[in-house]
C-alpha cells in the first residue's frame, strides 16, 4: 500500500500520436520506504518525466529521461468520431464492449496486472473515459463532410465543437417555427367566426397539447444524448423501430405538407395583398373568383416550390444564414401588431367598412359608400349604384334589397375603448355562401335573394364550424421540435432543449391568447370575418391594425412564410435521410444517399414531389388539417413514449428534466387523440391507417434493430404479469396447445443436423405458443463456450431460415443424458414451460458402436413420461416437407391404438392449419379385437369426431387373435441372439457393423417371405363383425387352434423353446400392427402412431428399440406420439 499517484504532464513537443491527441499520464509514485529497493531496477519516483509515443500501430511504450522515473504507459487513443451510417451514434455504444480499438494496445503496468488478461473485454477506466469523451453528437451530414475532408490529408480541419446556447439554438428557432402563416392570415378570421370565447378554447386546447408534449419531449431529450433526427430519434429509441419508423414518416409527411402550407401562404400574400395584378387567371364573373384564385395558387405555388427547392439544393448554408432575417421579420411584425393595438386607444386607424343594411360590401370596385351624391347641384348615381342596378340612371331597375336598405359606414378598427369586445364574444358559424352580416344593424329582407351571389357582398368561402377552425388553427402551434432537431449544434442539449422549448411555447401561447383578446376588442366583427380583407380594399386584416403601416405586416408575413417554407424543405429531407440510413424501411434506403457533402439530394426530390401534392390542393384551409393529423400523431407517440418509460421504471430512464409525470404524458396523449378526431375524423382515420401500414411493413420487412425501446420494457412487464398469472392454475384443456421443446442435434462443426425438425415445428405451431430449441454439448462450459455460442448462432440461423419463432437453449453438460435431462426439467420459465418434447428417431442406432446412443433415447422417453410431457418422435425426419413445399391431395393417417389424451387427433388438425398440409385429408384408423363390435365402434368414433369438430374419415381395422407366426419367432430369436452376443463379447467396430448388416439382411429376407404369405391370406381379414359371425369365427378358431397346436409341436424348432415369451408376444404385436399400417397407410403423406412405452425392466431396452424398428418398418414419414398424461382435446366449448 506504499504508493500514491501523481499526474505527469506529457511533453507536447515529443512524438505525435497518430490521431494528434495527448493525454496526461498517471504514474505510480512509490512511498519513500520503497525507493531504495526499487532504484536499482530503475523504478524510482519522479514528479516529472518526458514520454514519447511510438508510431501508430505499435505498442505504447515510454522512455523516461530520469533514471528514477517510473514507466508510464500511454495508450494510443483513437479520436475518430463514431461512424455508423449517417454519423449518428446508435445504441452499439462506442465505449461499451467495443474492443477493436484497444486490441493493439498492450498493458505494461503493474498496478492492474491482476486484470491484464481481461483487458480486451474490460478496458481500463482511462480508455473508457476517453471513449466517453469521443462520443460526439454529430449533426446530419457531418460524417460526409469529414469523409470529404479526408482527402486533404494533413490539411483536414478539426470539427468545431457545438457552441449554440439556449436562446439562439432552441428558443429563437422554436419561436420562428411556431409563429407563422396562420397567425398572419387566419387568426383574425378564426376570432371573428368562433368568437373570443371559443377561440380562446381552441388556443388553450392546442397550446396545452403542445406544452404537455414539450414536457414529455424534455424528459426524453434529457434522458441521454439526442443526435440529429430530433423527434424521430426520440420516438424510435423509446418505442422501437416499428413505432419510430411509422411516426417518423408521419412527422416527415407533416413537415412536407407544412412546406406546402407555407408556400400557399406566400402566394396568397403575394397575389392578394402585394401584386394582385400579377394573377394569370382572372375571373370574368364573381362566382368564378374562387376557382381563379385556386388556379393562380397552383401555378405560382409550383414555381415557388421549384425555386425554393433549387435554393435548398444549391446550399443549405444560405438558408441558415437567412433564418435570422426571416425571424427578425416575424418579431417586427408581432411588435407592430402590439404597437397598433396600443395606438387604437388614442387614435384608431381609418379603415371604414361599407354596409348595405346589415350586409358587408366588397369595396374594391367603388370609392364612396353612397347610392347617390350631389355633383354640381345634381343628384348622380355612384359606382355602387351601378353594381346593384341595371344602369346608372336614377330610374334603373335595382336589386330589391338595395332599394329597401340604406348604406352606412362602420369603422373597421373602432379601438380598445369602443366596447366591441362584447359583440365579438360569441361565435358566428355558417354554411358556404353565407353573407357576412352585422346583426346589430337594421335590415329589411328582400323576397328574392337568388341573385345575391352575383352581387359585391362578402361571403363565407367555406362552411365554418368549431372543429374545422381547430384543425386550421393547430398548425400555428406546431414547430416545438425545432430545438430538439438542432440538438447536435447545442452546447448543452440536455439543459437547453427543455428550457428553450417550454419558454418558446409559453411565449407563443401568451402571444396567441393576447392576440385573440386584442383582435376581438379592437376590430369590428364583420371585418374579422372578412377572410381576405375585401371590405377594406383587399388589405390584410391584421395589417389594418398594425403600426406604422399595413405594409409592415404584409412584407413581414411574406418573408416569414418564405423562410418557414425553406426551413421545411430543408428539414424534411434530412428527416427522411435519417430514417433511410437507419435501414428500418428497406424501400427508402435510396433516399439515404446524397451529395458528397451529405446533402440529401434524392430525399429533396421526393419531398418536393409530395409538397407539390399540397400545392395542387391549393387551399390553405384544406392543407392545414392534413398536416395537423401528422403532427398530432407524432406528438401522441412522444407522450406515449414518456408515459411508458415512466410507468415501466426502466433502469435506464433517468431524465435530467424532473418536472414530468406519467399522468401529464397520458393527458397529453389523450388530448392529441381527441384533437385528431376533433379536427377531422376521416383524416384521423387515414393518418392512423398510414401509420399502421408503415408499422406492419417495418415489422414484416424492416431491418432488425435493438435500440432498448420502451415497447420491449412493456413486453417484459406484460410477460412477467402473464407468467405469474399462468402459475396460479394449469391451463384448461380448451387452452392447451403444444408448447414444444425441440431436441436438436448438431454435427462436429456445430451445424444443425436435422433442419426439417424445425420445419415440422413451424408447421405444427404456426408461430403460436412456446417453442424452445434445445441442444446439448458434451464437455465443460469453460472448454466448450466457443462451440456453445457457435451452435447457438447456427441454430438461430436455422430457426430463422425455417421461420421457427421461439427461443434457443444450448446446454453444456458432462454427458449427453444429463444434459437432456437438464433441458427437460429446466427449460422455460414459470407457467411458460414446454409440455411436449419433439425429437428425431435415432436411425443409426444399430450401426452405432456406442450403446449409449439408444440408451439415451430410451431414457428420454422414460423421463418424458415421468415429467408428464407429451413426446413426439419423427422417423425419417429429413424426408418431411419443407415450409416451401405444398403437398397435394393425400392423407394424414392416424393410427389410434390406445387413448392417451387425444393428442393424436389434435396434431393433424394443427398441421392442416399450415399451407403445407392444407390439402391433406385426415383418416383415423382404430383397431378392433375379437370381442369388439367394430360396427358400433365406427359409429361411436364418427360421433366423437363430430363433437370434436374434426373432419376425418374413420376406419376400424380388425386384428385377429391369430397364432404367432414362424416369422415372429425367427425375428425374436435373431433379436435375442444379437442382444446376447453384444453383451458377452466386446466386438470391434468392424465386426459390429458386419453383424448388424447380417442381421439386417436376414430380417429383410424374412419380412419379404412373410409379406408374400400375407398377400395370399388377405381374405381372412374381416372389416366388420356381426354377432353371428363372431360366434362362428370363435368356434372355427377353437377347432383349428387344437390342430395347429399339435402341428406346431412337431414343427417347433428347438431354439424357439428357450425364447422369452414376453418378447415373442411383443414382437408379434409389432409385426401384426406393422402389417396393417403398411397395408393401409403406406401411401399416406404422414402416419401418426401411438408410441409404446419402454419396458419397466431396463435389461430389455435394446429389445424395445427392435420392437419399434419392426413397428415402423416399411413406412416413410412417421410421427410416434406419446401423451403427457392429461386430456388435451375436449368436446365442450
Amino acid at each position: 500500500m506504499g504508493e500514491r499517484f501523481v499526474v505527469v504532464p506529457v511533453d507536447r513537443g515529443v512524438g505525435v500520436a497518430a490521431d494528434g491527441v495527448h493525454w496526461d499520464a498517471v504514474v505510480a509514485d512509490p512511498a519513500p520506504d520503497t525507493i531504495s529497493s526499487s532504484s536499482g531496477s530503475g523504478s524510482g519516483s519522479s514528479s516529472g518525466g518526458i514520454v514519447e509515443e511510438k508510431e501508430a500501430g505499435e505498442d505504447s511504450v515510454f522512455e523516461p529521461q530520469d533514471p528514477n522515473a517510473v514507466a508510464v504507459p500511454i495508450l494510443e487513443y483513437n479520436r475518430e468520431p463514431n461512424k455508423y451510417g449517417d454519423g449518428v451514434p446508435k445504441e452499439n455504444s462506442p465505449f461499451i464492449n467495443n474492443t477493436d480499438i484497444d486490441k493493439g494496445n498492450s498493458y505494461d503496468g503493474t498496478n492492474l496486472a491482476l486484470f491484464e488478461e481481461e483487458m480486451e473485454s474490460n478496458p481500463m477506466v482511462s480508455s473508457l473515459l476517453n471513449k466517453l469523451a469521443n462520443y460526439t453528437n454529430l449533426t446530419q451530414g457531418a460524417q460526409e463532410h469529414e469523409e470529404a475532408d479526408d482527402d486533404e490529408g494533413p490539411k483536414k480541419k478539426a470539427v468545431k465543437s457545438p457552441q449554440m446556447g439556449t436562446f439562439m439554438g432552441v428558443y429563437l428557432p422554436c419561436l420562428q417555427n411556431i409563429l407563422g402563416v396562420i397567425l398572419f392570415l387566419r387568426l383574425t378570421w378564426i376570432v371573428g367566426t368562433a368568437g373570443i370565447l371559443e377561440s380562446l378554447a381552441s388556443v388553450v386546447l392546442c397550446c396545452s397539447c403542445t406544452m404537455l408534449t414539450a414536457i414529455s419531449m424534455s424528459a426524453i431529450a434529457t434522458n441521454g444524448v439526442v443526435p440529429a433526427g430530433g423527434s424521430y430519434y426520440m420516438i424510435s429509441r423509446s418505442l422501437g423501430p416499428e413505432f419510430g419508423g411509422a411516426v417518423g414518416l408521419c412527422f416527415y409527411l407533416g413537415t412536407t405538407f407544412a412546406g406546402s402550407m407555407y408556400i400557399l401562404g406566400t402566394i396568397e400574400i403575394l397575389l392578394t395583398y402585394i401584386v394582385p395584378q400579377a394573377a394569370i387567371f382572372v375571373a370574368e364573373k364573381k362566382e368564378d373568383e374562387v376557382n381563379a384564385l385556386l388556379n393562380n395558387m397552383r401555378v405560382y405555388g409550383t414555381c415557388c416550390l421549384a425555386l425554393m427547392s433549387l435554393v435548398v439544393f444549391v446550399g443549405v448554408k444560405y438558408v441558415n444564414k437567412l433564418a435570422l432575417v426571416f425571424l427578425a421579420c416575424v418579431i417586427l411584425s408581432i411588435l407592430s401588431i402590439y404597437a397598433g393595438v396600443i395606438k387604437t386607444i388614442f387614435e384608431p386607424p381609418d379603415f371604414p367598412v361599407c354596409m348595405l343594411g346589415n350586409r358587408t360590401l366588397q369595396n374594391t370596385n367603388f370609392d364612396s359608400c353612397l347610392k347617390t351624391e350631389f355633383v354640381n347641384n345634381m343628384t348622380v348615381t355612384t359606382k355602387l349604384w351601378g353594381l346593384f342596378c341595371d344602369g346608372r340612371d336614377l330610374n334603373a331597375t335595382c336589386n330589391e334589397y338595395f332599394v329597401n336598405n340604406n348604406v352606412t359606414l362602420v369603422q373597421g378598427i373602432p379601438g380598445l375603448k369602443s366596447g366591441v369586445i362584447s359583440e365579438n364574444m360569441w361565435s358566428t358559424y355558417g354554411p358556404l355562401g353565407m353573407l357576412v352580416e352585422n346583426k346589430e344593424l337594421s335590415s329589411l329582407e328582400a323576397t328574392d335573394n337568388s341573385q345575391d351571389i352575383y352581387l359585391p357582398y362578402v361571403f363565407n368561402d367555406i362552411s365554418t364550424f368549431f372543429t374545422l377552425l381547430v384543425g386550421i388553427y393547430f398548425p400555428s402551434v406546431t414547430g416545438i421540435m425545432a430545438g430538439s432537431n438542432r440538438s447536435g449544434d447545442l452546447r448543452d442539449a440536455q439543459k437547453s432543449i427543455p428550457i428553450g422549448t417550454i419558454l418558446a411555447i409559453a411565449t407563443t401561447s401568451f402571444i396567441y391568447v393576447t392576440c385573440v383578446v386584442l383582435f376581438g376588442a379592437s376590430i369590428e366583427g364583420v371585418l374579422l370575418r372578412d377572410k381576405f380583407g375585401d371590405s377594406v380594399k383587399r388589405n390584410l386584416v391584421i395589417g389594418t391594425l398594425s403600426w406604422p403601416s399595413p405594409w409592415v405586416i404584409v412584407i413581414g408575413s411574406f418573408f416569414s412564410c418564405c423562410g418557414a417554407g425553406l426551413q421545411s424543405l430543408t428539414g424534411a429531407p434530412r428527416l427522411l435521410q435519417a430514417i433511410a440510413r437507419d435501414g428500418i424501411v428497406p424501400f427508402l434506403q435510396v433516399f439515404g444517399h446524397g451529395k458528397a457533402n451529405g446533402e440529401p439530394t434524392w430525399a429533396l426530390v421526393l419531398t418536393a414531389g409530395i409538397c407539390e401534392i399540397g400545392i395542387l390542393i391549393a387551399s390553405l384551409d384544406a392543407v392545414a388539417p392534413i398536416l395537423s393529423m401528422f403532427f398530432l400523431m407524432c406528438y401522441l407517440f412522444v407522450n406515449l413514449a414518456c408515459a411508458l418509460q415512466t410507468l415501466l421504471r426502466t433502469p435506464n430512464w433517468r431524465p435530467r428534466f424532473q418536472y414530468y409525470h406519467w399522468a401529464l404524458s397520458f393527458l397529453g396523449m389523450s388530448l392529441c387523440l381527441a384533437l385528431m378526431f376533433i379536427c377531422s375524423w376521416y383524416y384521423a382515420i387515414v393518418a392512423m391507417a398510414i401509420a399502421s401500414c408503415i408499422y406492419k411493413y417495418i415489422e414484416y420487412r424492416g431491418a432488425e434493430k435493438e435500440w432498448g425501446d420502451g415497447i420491449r420494457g412493456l413486453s417484459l412487464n406484460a410477460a412477467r404479469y402473464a407468467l405469474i398469472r399462468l402459475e396460479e392454475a394449469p391451463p384448461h384443456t380448451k387452452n392447451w396447445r403444444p408448447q414444444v421443446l425441440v431436441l436438436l442435434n448438431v454435427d462436429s462443426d456445430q451445424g444443425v443436423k436435422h433442419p426439417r425438425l424445425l420445419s415440422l415445428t413451424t408447421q405444427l405451431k404456426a408461430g403460436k405458443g412456446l417453442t424452445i430449441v434445445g441442444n446439448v454439448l458434451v464437455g465443460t462450459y469453460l472448454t466448450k463456450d466457443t462451440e456453445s455460442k457457435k451452435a447457438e448462432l447456427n441454430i438461430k440461423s436455422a430457426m430463422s431460415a425455417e421461420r421457427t419463432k421461439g427461443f434457443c437453449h444450448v446446454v453444456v453438460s458432462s454427458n449427453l443424458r444429463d444434459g437432456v435431462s437438464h433441458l427437460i426439467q429446466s427449460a422455460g420459465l414459470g407457467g411458460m414451460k414446454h409440455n411436449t418434447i419433439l425429437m428425431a428417431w435415432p436411425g443409426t442406432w444399430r450401426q452405432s458402436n456406442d450403446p449409449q446412443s439408444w440408451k439415451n433415447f430410451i431414457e428420454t422417453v422414460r423421463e418424458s413420461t415421468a415429467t408428464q410431457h407429451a413426446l413426439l418422435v419423427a422417423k425419417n425426419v429429413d424426408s418431411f416437407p419443407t415450409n416451401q413445399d405444398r403437398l397435394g391431395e393425400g392423407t394424414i393417417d392416424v393410427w389410434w391404438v390406445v387413448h392417451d389424451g387425444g393428442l393424436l387427433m389434435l396434431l393433424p388438425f394443427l398441421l392442416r392449419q399450415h399451407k403445407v398440409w392444407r390439402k391433406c385429408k385426415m383418416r383415423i384408423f382404430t383397431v378392433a379385437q375379437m370381442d369388439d363390435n367394430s360396427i358400433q365402434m365406427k359409429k361411436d368414433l364418427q360421433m366423437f369426431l363430430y363433437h370434436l369438430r374434426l373432419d376425418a374419415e374413420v376406419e376400424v381395422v380388425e386384428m385377429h387373435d391369430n397364432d404367432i407366426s414362424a416369422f415372429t419367432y425367427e425375428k425374436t430369436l435373431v433379436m435375442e441372439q444379437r442382444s446376447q452376443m453384444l453383451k458377452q463379447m466386446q466386438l470391434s467396430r468392424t465386426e459390429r457393423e458386419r453383424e448388424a448388416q447380417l442381421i439386417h439382411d436376414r430380417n429383410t429376407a424374412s419380412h419379404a417371405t412373410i409379406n408374400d404369405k400375407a398377400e395370399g391370406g388377405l381374405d381372412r381379414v374381416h372389416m366388420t363383425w356381426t354377432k353371428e359371425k363372431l360366434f362362428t369365427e370363435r368356434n372355427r378358431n377353437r377347432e383349428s387352434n387344437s390342430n395347429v397346436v399339435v402341428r406346431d409341436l412337431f414343427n417347433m424348432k428347438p431354439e424357439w423353446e428357450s425364447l422369452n415369451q414376453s418378447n415373442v408376444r411383443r414382437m408379434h404385436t409389432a409385426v401384426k400392427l406393422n402389417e396393417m399400417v403398411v397395408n393401409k397407410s403406406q401411401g399416406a403423406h404422414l402416419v401418426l402412431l401411438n408410441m409404446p412405452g419402454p419396458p419397466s425392466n431396463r435389461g430389455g431396452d435394446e429389445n424395445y428399440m427392435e420392437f419399434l424398428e419392426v413397428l415402423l418398418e416399411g413406412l416413410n414419414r412417421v410421427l410416434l406420439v406419446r401423451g403427457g398424461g392429461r386430456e388435451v382435446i375436449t368436446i365442450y366449448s
Side-chain angles (χ1 to χ4, degrees):
M1 300 295 292
E3 292 188 347
R4 63 183 182 273
F5 293 93
V6 296
V7 176
V8 179
V10 180
D11 187 355
R12 304 294 182 188
V14 182
V16 179
D19 49 16
V21 175
H22 301 263
W23 284 65
D24 291 342
V26 178
V27 299
D29 184 15
D33 58 345
T34 63
I35 294 178
S36 58
S37 61
S38 60
S39 59
S41 60
S43 59
S45 161
S46 175
S47 61
I50 300 175
V51 181
E52 293 183 357
E53 293 181 275
K54 298 179 72 173
E55 294 181 0
E58 300 182 14
D59 291 339
S60 303
V61 296
F62 92 110
E63 294 179 7
Q65 300 297 313
D66 189 337
N68 294 324
V70 177
V72 183
I74 296 185
L75 299 180
E76 297 171 356
Y77 294 99
N78 189 334
R79 292 288 284 183
E80 287 296 317
N82 177 36
K83 295 182 178 179
Y84 188 104
D86 54 357
V88 179
K90 301 298 188 292
E91 265 50 36
N92 59 335
S93 170
F95 45 81
I96 298 175
N97 296 330
N98 185 359
T99 59
D100 294 340
I101 298 173
D102 297 324
K103 287 184 179 178
N105 303 330
S106 62
Y107 175 73
D108 300 326
T110 57
N111 293 316
L112 296 176
L114 270 175
F115 305 95
E116 60 185 1
E117 293 183 357
E118 301 177 39
M119 281 296 172
E120 289 190 358
S121 57
N122 302 329
M124 287 191 299
V125 173
S126 58
S127 178
L128 173 67
L129 293 176
N130 177 62
K131 290 175 180 177
L132 278 168
N134 292 336
Y135 186 54
T136 55
N137 184 10
L138 299 182
T139 56
Q140 294 291 336
Q143 181 186 352
E144 286 81 0
H145 282 293
E146 290 186 359
E147 290 174 351
D149 292 338
D150 283 343
D151 299 332
E152 297 177 17
K155 296 180 181 179
K156 179 179 177 179
K157 297 178 182 179
V159 179
K160 292 183 180 179
S161 59
Q163 294 297 328
M164 298 184 75
T166 303
F167 186 74
M168 291 296 295
V170 180
Y171 181 75
L172 289 182
C174 283
L175 216 61
Q176 180 187 2
N177 280 266
I178 294 172
L179 300 172
V181 61
I182 300 296
L183 170 64
F184 299 123
L185 296 183
R186 292 291 183 269
L187 189 57
T188 53
W189 173 70
I190 290 173
V191 173
T193 305
I196 294 175
L197 293 180
E198 292 187 26
S199 298
L200 285 175
S202 299
V203 171
V204 170
L205 201 63
C206 296
C207 290
S208 299
C209 175
T210 54
M211 180 61 80
L212 292 171
T213 303
I215 292 172
S216 299
M217 184 191 72
S218 298
I220 298 172
T222 57
N223 188 51
V225 181
V226 179
S231 58
Y232 159 68
Y233 182 90
M234 289 188 291
I235 295 169
S236 61
R237 272 54 175 183
S238 297
L239 294 179
E242 293 87 1
F243 276 115
V247 181
L249 284 175
C250 284
F251 189 56
Y252 162 75
L253 291 173
T255 308
T256 304
F257 276 105
S260 301
M261 185 184 71
Y262 292 129
I263 292 173
L264 290 174
T266 303
I267 302 305
E268 184 176 314
I269 295 170
L270 180 70
L271 294 181
T272 307
Y273 308 114
I274 299 179
V275 281
Q277 61 273 18
I280 298 174
F281 301 93
V282 180
E284 296 180 358
K285 299 179 181 179
K286 187 177 185 299
E287 60 268 25
D288 296 332
E289 287 181 357
V290 174
N291 291 331
L293 176 63
L294 294 180
N295 288 331
N296 284 319
M297 299 279 277
R298 292 184 180 106
V299 174
Y300 277 97
T302 303
C303 296
C304 184
L305 173 62
L307 182 62
M308 287 185 176
S309 300
L310 184 62
V311 171
V312 173
F313 177 77
V314 169
V316 181
K317 59 183 179 180
Y318 302 113
V319 177
N320 293 332
K321 287 179 180 178
L322 290 172
L324 287 177
V325 177
F326 297 139
L327 178 61
C329 293
V330 174
I331 294 174
L332 286 175
S333 300
I334 292 172
L335 290 177
S336 73
I337 293 171
Y338 284 110
V341 170
I342 295 171
K343 185 176 180 292
T344 64
I345 300 174
F346 313 105
E347 185 184 349
D350 185 25
F351 283 98
V353 176
C354 187
M355 307 290 295
L356 175 62
N358 64 359
R359 300 178 181 180
T360 309
L361 297 178
Q362 297 181 356
N363 66 352
T364 52
N365 296 322
F366 60 90
D367 298 321
S368 60
C369 185
L370 295 169
K371 292 183 180 180
T372 60
E373 57 185 351
F374 287 98
V375 179
N376 297 328
N377 294 323
M378 293 179 61
T379 301
V380 296
T381 59
T382 61
K383 290 183 179 179
L384 180 60
W385 183 282
L387 295 174
F388 284 88
C389 303
D390 58 7
R392 296 291 295 270
D393 299 330
L394 287 171
N395 58 355
T397 303
C398 297
N399 178 267
E400 181 184 357
Y401 187 85
F402 180 75
V403 173
N404 294 340
N405 294 276
N406 295 324
V407 290
T408 55
L409 278 176
V410 175
Q411 190 55 252
I413 313 291
L416 282 177
K417 292 182 178 180
S418 64
V420 74
I421 187 171
S422 60
E423 300 174 9
N424 295 329
M425 197 66 72
W426 312 107
S427 61
T428 311
Y429 300 118
L432 170 67
M434 188 186 83
L435 296 169
V436 175
E437 299 175 335
N438 186 345
K439 298 298 183 182
E440 301 294 325
L441 299 178
S442 61
S443 172
L444 293 175
E445 294 297 326
T447 56
D448 182 17
N449 294 321
S450 60
Q451 298 301 311
D452 288 349
I453 190 173
Y454 305 108
L455 298 174
Y457 294 122
V458 178
F459 295 94
N460 277 358
D461 65 330
I462 58 173
S463 297
T464 54
F465 40 90
F466 177 75
T467 56
L468 172 75
L469 299 187
V470 173
I472 293 174
Y473 171 74
F474 187 81
S476 65
V477 298
T478 59
I480 63 174
M481 301 289 186
S484 62
N485 289 342
R486 295 171 178 245
S487 57
D489 300 325
L490 300 175
R491 189 184 308 117
D492 186 357
Q494 297 193 6
K495 176 184 176 183
S496 297
I497 289 176
I499 296 174
T501 304
I502 292 174
L503 279 180
I505 294 174
T507 304
T508 54
S509 299
F510 173 79
I511 290 172
Y512 284 128
V513 169
T514 54
C515 281
V516 166
V517 176
L518 292 176
F519 291 165
S522 304
I523 305 175
E524 179 63 42
V526 290
L527 181 56
L528 284 173
R529 294 195 295 277
D530 184 2
K531 184 186 290 186
F532 300 108
D534 292 324
S535 61
V536 285
K537 295 191 179 296
R538 282 294 176 102
N539 273 298
L540 183 61
V541 175
I542 198 173
T544 61
L545 185 64
S546 64
W547 180 86
S549 167
W551 285 102
V552 175
I553 290 284
V554 172
I555 300 301
S557 59
F558 177 78
F559 283 112
S560 169
C561 291
C562 283
L566 285 170
Q567 291 289 347
S568 296
L569 289 177
T570 303
R574 278 159 180 71
L575 179 58
L576 181 63
Q577 187 182 48
I579 298 171
R581 285 182 168 177
D582 264 346
I584 59 173
V585 185
F587 71 84
L588 289 180
Q589 289 184 358
V590 65
F591 299 108
H593 307 296
K595 294 193 292 187
N597 63 352
E599 295 301 321
T601 308
W602 292 111
L604 177 61
V605 172
L606 179 64
T607 301
I610 298 174
C611 198
E612 177 64 17
I613 297 174
I615 299 294
L616 294 177
I617 295 174
S619 172
L620 187 69
D621 302 322
V623 173
I626 296 176
L627 65 100
S628 294
M629 289 303 110
F630 292 122
F631 278 122
L632 279 167
M633 183 161 288
C634 177
Y635 297 164
L636 184 150
F637 281 100
V638 169
N639 285 295
L640 175 62
C642 182
L644 276 181
Q645 300 276 30
T646 307
L647 288 173
L648 294 175
R649 294 186 176 89
T650 52
N652 190 51
W653 180 243
R654 301 183 300 273
R656 290 186 181 274
F657 181 78
Q658 296 295 319
Y659 305 103
Y660 69 94
H661 192 271
W662 68 266
L664 292 177
S665 299
F666 186 79
L667 179 61
M669 182 179 66
S670 304
L671 205 53
C672 289
L673 188 62
L675 280 171
M676 288 178 69
F677 284 92
I678 286 173
C679 294
S680 174
W681 65 267
Y682 45 88
Y683 279 159
I685 291 174
V686 170
M688 290 172 138
I690 292 173
S692 301
C693 291
I694 298 170
Y695 178 94
K696 296 305 293 183
Y697 176 80
I698 295 173
E699 185 181 47
Y700 180 66
R701 293 293 305 274
E704 294 182 4
K705 298 287 180 183
E706 178 48 60
W707 286 334
D709 51 85
I711 292 296
R712 185 176 179 85
L714 180 64
S715 302
L716 289 172
N717 263 13
R720 182 186 65 85
Y721 176 78
L723 287 172
I724 292 174
R725 289 292 303 273
L726 285 173
E727 282 279 87
E728 295 175 2
H732 191 272
T733 301
K734 291 185 292 185
N735 300 326
W736 194 94
R737 66 165 51 247
Q739 319 284 9
V740 181
L741 169 64
V742 185
L743 298 179
L744 205 61
N745 292 329
V746 296
D747 54 29
S748 57
D749 293 326
Q750 280 71 51
V752 175
K753 275 189 177 180
H754 303 297
R756 297 289 177 85
L757 209 56
L758 297 175
S759 303
L760 177 61
T761 306
T762 303
Q763 295 156 22
L764 185 64
K765 300 287 292 176
K768 302 295 190 298
L770 175 70
T771 300
I772 302 173
V773 181
N775 174 251
V776 177
L777 297 179
V778 178
T780 62
Y781 189 82
L782 295 179
T783 59
K784 293 283 187 178
D785 60 334
T786 304
E787 290 88 340
S788 172
K789 291 172 183 176
K790 183 179 179 182
E792 186 170 351
L793 285 175
N794 290 341
I795 291 173
K796 285 182 177 179
S797 176
M799 290 172 66
S800 177
E802 299 297 339
R803 298 179 183 177
T804 304
K805 296 180 180 179
F807 309 97
C808 176
H809 195 175
V810 177
V811 171
V812 180
S813 178
S814 57
N815 61 76
L816 188 64
R817 173 83 281 288
D818 289 343
V820 172
S821 178
H822 295 157
L823 271 177
I824 294 174
Q825 293 178 60
S826 62
L829 178 65
M832 200 64 175
K833 294 179 72 71
H834 59 279
N835 54 29
T836 305
I837 301 168
L838 173 62
M839 59 194 299
W841 170 259
T844 59
W845 69 273
R846 280 174 170 166
Q847 288 77 33
S848 175
N849 56 0
D850 182 12
Q852 201 62 38
S853 62
W854 52 265
K855 286 184 178 179
N856 287 336
F857 173 81
I858 296 174
E859 288 301 308
T860 302
V861 176
R862 285 197 175 100
E863 191 155 1
S864 70
T865 304
T867 56
Q868 294 187 328
H869 288 121
L871 178 65
L872 309 178
V873 179
K875 184 199 175 189
N876 297 332
V877 69
D878 292 329
S879 68
F880 275 61
T882 65
N883 293 323
Q884 287 72 38
D885 293 339
R886 299 293 180 269
L887 298 179
E889 297 292 335
T891 60
I892 300 175
D893 287 0
V894 177
W895 282 83
W896 191 18
V897 181
V898 294
H899 177 64
D900 54 2
L903 185 58
L904 269 173
M905 286 170 285
L906 184 62
L907 291 177
F909 170 77
L910 295 175
L911 283 174
R912 290 178 64 216
Q913 305 306 305
H914 197 276
K915 49 194 170 184
V916 172
W917 303 90
R918 191 162 292 159
K919 294 183 179 179
C920 296
K921 293 182 180 179
M922 178 178 169
R923 295 195 302 179
I924 295 183
F925 297 88
T926 188
V927 177
Q929 298 297 323
M930 283 288 294
D931 297 333
D932 296 326
N933 187 337
S934 56
I935 297 176
Q936 190 61 41
M937 279 181 65
K938 185 173 183 178
K939 289 180 180 179
D940 293 343
L941 183 54
Q942 286 172 335
M943 182 58 67
F944 182 58
L945 292 176
Y946 174 79
H947 288 303
L948 288 175
R949 290 89 63 199
L950 294 176
D951 294 324
E953 296 179 13
V954 175
E955 191 167 347
V956 178
V957 180
E958 296 171 348
M959 189 179 233
H960 288 289
D961 198 7
N962 290 335
D963 303 319
I964 299 173
S965 64
F967 171 72
T968 302
Y969 277 109
E970 197 65 32
K971 202 148 184 77
T972 308
L973 177 63
V974 172
M975 176 188 72
E976 290 194 354
Q977 286 177 347
R978 177 180 181 278
S979 176
Q980 195 67 26
M981 289 170 63
L982 291 177
K983 287 179 180 178
Q984 293 178 356
M985 300 175 60
Q986 296 295 329
L987 299 177
S988 66
R989 181 176 181 180
T990 305
E991 290 170 329
R992 286 190 182 189
E993 290 177 354
R994 189 184 305 118
E995 175 71 14
Q997 186 61 40
L998 177 61
I999 293 172
H1000 178 71
D1001 293 342
R1002 291 175 62 185
N1003 288 347
T1004 304
S1006 300
H1007 194 62
T1009 304
I1010 199 67
N1011 280 345
D1012 293 340
K1013 294 179 180 179
E1015 289 176 1
L1018 285 177
D1019 55 341
R1020 296 171 55 196
V1021 179
H1022 303 287
M1023 298 310 301
T1024 58
W1025 291 89
T1026 61
K1027 190 173 182 179
E1028 293 77 16
K1029 182 188 287 187
L1030 176 63
F1031 288 119
T1032 305
E1033 187 68 16
R1034 276 184 177 175
N1035 295 330
R1036 190 174 66 82
N1037 284 340
R1038 285 184 185 135
E1039 293 172 1
S1040 61
N1041 282 346
S1042 59
N1043 297 328
V1044 169
V1045 169
V1046 174
R1047 186 172 65 251
D1048 281 351
L1049 287 176
F1050 292 102
N1051 296 334
M1052 180 79 72
K1053 293 183 180 180
E1055 56 265 34
W1056 291 358
E1057 297 176 2
S1058 61
L1059 292 176
N1060 185 318
Q1061 292 303 306
S1062 175
N1063 287 342
V1064 173
R1065 289 194 304 273
R1066 291 171 185 267
M1067 183 63 75
H1068 174 68
T1069 303
V1071 170
K1072 295 297 292 181
L1073 194 55
N1074 174 258
E1075 286 177 5
M1076 290 191 295
V1077 174
V1078 170
N1079 182 37
K1080 295 287 183 181
S1081 302
Q1082 194 165 24
H1085 287 316
L1086 178 65
V1087 176
L1088 284 85
L1089 185 64
N1090 284 117
M1091 182 178 184
S1096 56
N1097 178 16
R1098 296 178 186 271
D1101 282 356
E1102 64 271 22
N1103 297 337
Y1104 173 71
M1105 295 297 290
E1106 285 286 352
F1107 297 146
L1108 292 181
E1109 196 73 60
V1110 171
L1111 181 63
L1112 304 177
E1113 195 169 0
L1115 298 172
N1116 184 20
R1117 297 184 193 131
V1118 184
L1119 196 61
L1120 291 172
V1121 181
R1122 279 181 64 77
R1126 60 160 297 167
E1127 292 292 331
V1128 301
I1129 195 166
T1130 177
I1131 64 174
Y1132 300 105
S1133 60

